[in-house]
Amino acid sequence: MDSILQSQTEFNYEVIVVDNASSDRSEQVLAEYPTVKALMNHQNLGFSKANIQGAKIAQGEWIFLLNNDTILQSDTLQNLLSFAKTIPNPGLFGPKLCLPTGQVQRQGSALSQAQYRTAKPKTVNFLVGAALLLPKEVFWKVGGLDENYVFYNEDVDLCKTLMKAGYPLYYVPSAQLVHIGGASSRTIRPKALLEGLRGGLYLVNKH
């Protein structure tokens, strides 16, 4: 949370946290941030439904979907949005994701890694759902996130849906953040694994 609020930007932004029935001190911790809008769910609704909840009350022109296991740099938001605003037909934008060790996190399959080996923004065919920026208008135009997914596959579906609708996906390496990875699903691993398999079958059937 602190890394988000300490972001250095030339624009105003709001922070909306949707808590999916956490069993830790999340509610007490969120109470320490009076500027943050917090939606507290009494059950885990999954990634898609929770993000849609947040998007429905978002006031800005852009939506930045961000996992809770991330740490932003002070210029992550500024670099990502600055580039996105230069694209005439903006679709989906994703930053460079780094592991806590400093290594760059792999995005997509092993066979598709060449497209991410770049120091300049470029179009790609997939972006990891840990951190995704897109215009709010575009988000709703393609129907938001498919609520048939609970854990995993939501980002694959969104990428495919946007590309089919004619919106490009851009990897923006000048925007960078740390992604710890797996922090949310670790506490519900059996269910997450089953949902991953179910969602994968649904994805194949859908696309």
Side-chain angles (χ1 to χ4, degrees), residues 8 27 37 45 57 77 83 92 113 135 177 185 189 200:
Q8 301 297 312
E27 188 168 4
K37 298 179 182 178
L45 302 179
I57 66 170
L77 291 177
F83 173 76
L92 194 65
Q113 292 312 292
L177 57 81
S185 60
R189 187 169 297 280

Side-chain angles (χ1 to χ4, degrees), residues 6 45 106 127 188:
Q6 292 168 6
L45 302 179
R106 192 177 78 181
L127 292 167
I188 49 171

